[in-house]
Amino acid sequence: MSTEVREIELVWHDLVPRLLTVVRNERITPKMARITLTGDDLDVFAYAAPEDHVKVFFPEPGAELPAMPTIGPEGFEPPGPDGPQPIFRDYTVRYVRRDAKEIDIDFALHGHGPGATWASTARPGQRIGVLGPRGSYLNPLDFDWYLVAGDETALPALGAWLEQLPAGKPVIAYAEVADPAEEQDLVRSADTTLTWLHRSAGQSLGAALAEFRAPAGAGYIWVAGEATALKPIRRHLRSLGLPRDHVEVDGYWKRGIVNLDHHDADD
Ligand SMILES: Cc1cc2nc3c(=O)[nH]c(=O)nc-3n(C[C@H](O)[C@H](O)[C@H](O)COP(=O)(O)OP(=O)(O)OC[C@H]3O[C@@H](n4cnc5c(N)ncnc54)[C@H](O)[C@@H]3O)c2cc1C
């Protein structure tokens, strides 16, 4: 296995808040809504990497418009105790069509919280706020192999990983979903092995990745999902001897916690 460290370049983007309008709400699986949004300035939307994500601002129940973010010299300024309290959550940008001034965001419909609740009933013409992406991690595309894995919340990034990684490099992918009905038809090259794990059958990322052994050569690992479930996974994957920057394990949400407003990426 190679321990040579390759640079993961971070490119910053201007932080642009946008009020966007729902064009479509498509159920791509029973519990995943793909919401297409449009806005006048989406022809210059910054997007460069699979993990690129935005903060989505939702209206209060019954309100027409969301409270939008305040942008200061340091970027997004969390609201003080007075004034409107924006309701926001992090979501990955699944597709960008600048010519059509559209983006797609896939929402896991888990039944709780403003994000999942809004997405389950969103109708054309409704509006939400979108802030970002703030930056893009430009991972080198010349590793010898890749491991990419995640649960439903990570599927938008995982799908983009599979589309963007070059053919000819082995890609080992695991996707954990509730049951077979939640599998998505993800584009993949001949060099990708994608295994769907069904919680309904007792399968999990934790059990699958505990068996993972690093192939020869320089590898890159990206995993995202529920923060607590990722802890033993992170420990195992970091014990494989890859440079630390080549093992990215991100908590995207935490069971029992409302709005995990940061990537839970530490041990
Ligand atoms: C960088 C990043 C990118 C993300 N991209 C996406 C994405 O593209 N699509 C997506 O659906 N999510 C994505 N997430 C996860 C999403 O931000 C969280 O799931 C968020 O909590 C959803 O907000 P909510 O209002 O639905 O629920 P919250 O109000 O935050 O939480 C309410 C309750 O629901 C639980 N909960 C939250 N999420 C889930 C879940 N998925 N399954 C079961 N229970 C849950 C919480 O533990 C809490 O008990 C991303 C997160 C990060 C950090």
Side-chain angles (χ1 to χ4, degrees):
M1 183 204 325
S2 166
T3 52
E4 173 210 346
V5 180
R6 303 185 186 192
E7 194 193 343
I8 313 290
E9 191 186 348
L10 172 59
V11 175
W12 293 103
H13 307 300
D14 288 343
L15 197 54
V16 182
R18 295 176 164 93
L19 191 60
L20 300 181
T21 304
V22 175
V23 178
R24 273 185 302 283
N25 183 349
E26 184 193 354
R27 237 9 110 82
I28 54 172
T29 65
K31 291 187 183 135
M32 186 70 83
R34 174 160 299 160
I35 308 244
T36 300
L37 299 161
T38 191
D40 282 345
D41 58 353
L42 283 182
D43 52 340
V44 290
F45 189 81
Y47 176 89
E51 298 155 69
D52 282 4
H53 57 278
V54 290
K55 290 198 184 300
V56 177
F57 292 76
F58 302 97
E60 294 270 6
E64 194 189 333
L65 297 176
M68 291 294 282
T70 307
I71 308 300
E74 303 296 321
F76 173 45
E77 291 186 344
D82 304 322
Q85 298 291 311
I87 304 168
F88 58 91
R89 301 287 186 268
D90 284 332
Y91 284 91
T92 305
V93 180
R94 180 63 181 99
Y95 289 112
V96 178
R97 292 178 296 278
R98 293 188 185 90
D99 289 353
K101 299 186 179 178
E102 288 182 354
I103 60 171
D104 293 339
I105 296 180
D106 290 356
F107 290 76
L109 304 178
H110 57 86
H112 312 277
T117 306
W118 177 85
S120 65
T121 59
R123 291 185 313 280
Q126 288 185 333
R127 285 185 286 175
I128 52 170
V130 165
L131 177 67
R134 179 141 181 66
S136 305
Y137 281 101
L138 305 181
N139 297 295
L141 298 178
D142 58 353
F143 281 95
D144 299 314
W145 56 266
Y146 294 82
L147 167 67
V148 291
D151 67 9
E152 285 90 343
T153 62
L155 278 184
L158 196 148
W161 272 108
L162 297 186
E163 286 160 14
Q164 293 177 27
L165 286 174
K169 304 285 183 187
V171 180
I172 306 138
Y174 291 94
E176 181 195 297
V177 292
D179 52 46
E182 291 306 313
E183 292 188 12
Q184 296 180 24
D185 191 15
L186 301 179
V187 169
R188 50 193 191 266
S189 76
D191 307 296
T192 297
T193 314
L194 170 61
T195 305
W196 290 94
L197 303 165
H198 303 133
R199 288 190 291 277
S200 59
Q203 297 167 331
S204 69
L205 282 176
L209 293 178
E211 304 293 317
F212 182 78
R213 301 289 174 267
Y220 185 83
I221 296 177
W222 179 84
V223 185
E226 199 279 324
T228 304
L230 289 185
K231 282 180 187 289
I233 294 174
R234 182 181 295 115
R235 265 197 301 277
H236 171 61
L237 295 176
R238 288 210 175 136
S239 75
L240 297 175
L242 279 72
R244 194 181 166 97
D245 283 356
H246 300 180
V247 182
E248 177 75 22
V249 182
D250 251 8
Y252 269 17
W253 63 284
K254 195 164 190 171
R255 193 167 300 287
I257 301 289
V258 168
N259 188 15
L260 178 70
D261 185 30
H262 60 91
H263 300 226
D264 190 24
D266 298 316
D267 281 321

